Amino acid sequence: MARKRKVKARTGQTARAQSSSLAASLAKIGREFHTRGWALGTSGNYSAVLQREPLRILITSSGLDKSELGARNFLEIDSDGSVLAGNGRPSAETPLHLAVVQATNAGCVLHTHSAWNTLLSEKFAERGGVAMEGYEMLKGLEGVKTHEHREWIPIFKNSQDIAMLAGKVTEYLGRDLSAHGFLLGGHGLYTWGQDVAQARRHVEIFEFLFEVVGRRKFSELSGTTN
């Protein structure tokens, strides 16, 4: 009996250490994204999977200034979005994180609100998405081997009905297993990865490509070249 208690205690200590490490990594990324202009003010939210069965996710608490994000600002939630540990309430967009994790088996989901991804989400909303191809940087997306790859980023109309949005995301990702991200119109980017490092890389790749495509598109519309 004593041995079982010791094993259980060690398991609990390991889980807490894993949670603290993930929270610290996500907080660091959040502060970085703020510095780079991708998640200003209280915008953006970040999550990472702690365990699969039963599903446990670490996610940012709601309404936090991302320039001051710390490890203490993350909550542990279950597959229903109920808080299991931590202080505060989870992001209102928690159902979108859960939808992505459950549809793609992602280990980390990151959401940014940059100027360029917001502008493009409005510009291409009527087309239902934006295509990017011919760029070497596309090879930074997991599984992409050539600059000739065509990446389609779907755009969903923004809504405060997050459950409805999550349903649409789940339906889309069930059809397109090759997707690396999506945009919400006038809102921002969601992307993911097998782990925190891969998801961060995808944000960086997408934000670069959004700026390149945006600068080209808007300079063409204005009749100017850079």
Side-chain angles (χ1 to χ4, degrees):
M1 183 65 71
R3 183 177 181 181
K4 287 183 178 180
R5 284 198 296 269
K6 288 181 180 179
V7 170
K8 187 175 182 179
R10 283 198 297 270
T11 300
Q13 290 170 354
T14 300
R16 286 193 293 274
Q18 177 193 16
S19 178
S20 296
S21 177
L22 271 176
S25 296
L26 289 171
K28 181 179 179 181
I29 284 173
R31 295 191 301 272
E32 176 197 354
F33 287 178
H34 179 276
T35 300
R36 300 178 77 167
W38 298 342
L40 299 179
T42 61
S43 68
N45 39 70
Y46 320 115
S47 69
V49 173
L50 289 169
Q51 68 177 46
R52 298 285 178 186
E53 294 293 339
L55 185 62
R56 298 289 184 265
I57 291 178
L58 203 63
I59 193 166
T60 38
S61 183
S62 181
L64 299 173
D65 185 333
K66 298 309 183 292
S67 69
E68 300 177 351
L69 195 62
R72 67 188 181 283
N73 299 133
F74 288 82
L75 308 172
E76 183 179 337
I77 63 171
D78 62 16
S79 59
D80 295 321
S82 299
V83 176
L84 302 175
N87 298 312
R89 55 188 175 85
S91 166
E93 295 171 34
T94 294
L96 291 172
H97 287 257
L98 290 169
V100 171
V101 167
Q102 292 167 341
T104 68
N105 208 36
C108 178
V109 182
L110 303 176
H111 172 43
T112 56
H113 285 235
S114 73
W116 285 111
N117 73 42
T118 302
L119 286 168
L120 289 182
S121 73
E122 294 178 323
K123 178 63 183 173
F124 291 95
E126 291 186 1
R127 301 185 187 182
V130 55
M132 297 185 292
E133 58 185 320
Y135 296 104
E136 187 71 10
M137 286 289 276
L138 284 164
K139 290 161 62 177
L141 300 176
E142 189 66 18
V144 176
K145 304 300 183 184
T146 173
H147 68 283
E148 296 177 342
H149 169 77
R150 183 179 187 271
E151 183 73 16
W152 175 255
I153 303 94
I155 300 172
F156 298 97
K157 184 178 180 180
N158 194 32
S159 173
Q160 298 309 303
D161 186 344
I162 303 300
M164 177 273 291
L165 273 179
K168 289 186 175 182
V169 168
T170 297
E171 181 183 3
Y172 181 86
L173 293 177
R175 298 195 310 268
D176 185 1
L177 298 178
S178 66
H180 293 93
F182 62 85
L183 290 165
L184 298 179
H187 185 155
L189 166 72
Y190 270 86
T191 187
W192 51 87
Q194 295 175 356
D195 53 29
V196 173
Q198 188 179 105
R200 180 197 169 280
R201 187 180 82 233
H202 286 172
V203 169
E204 195 164 45
I205 296 300
F206 274 129
E207 292 295 355
F208 171 87
L209 292 168
F210 289 146
E211 183 169 353
V212 169
V213 171
R215 285 184 181 276
R216 189 189 71 222
K217 175 60 65 176
F218 290 110
S219 66
E220 289 173 354
L221 290 174
S222 65
T224 63
T225 56
N226 293 327

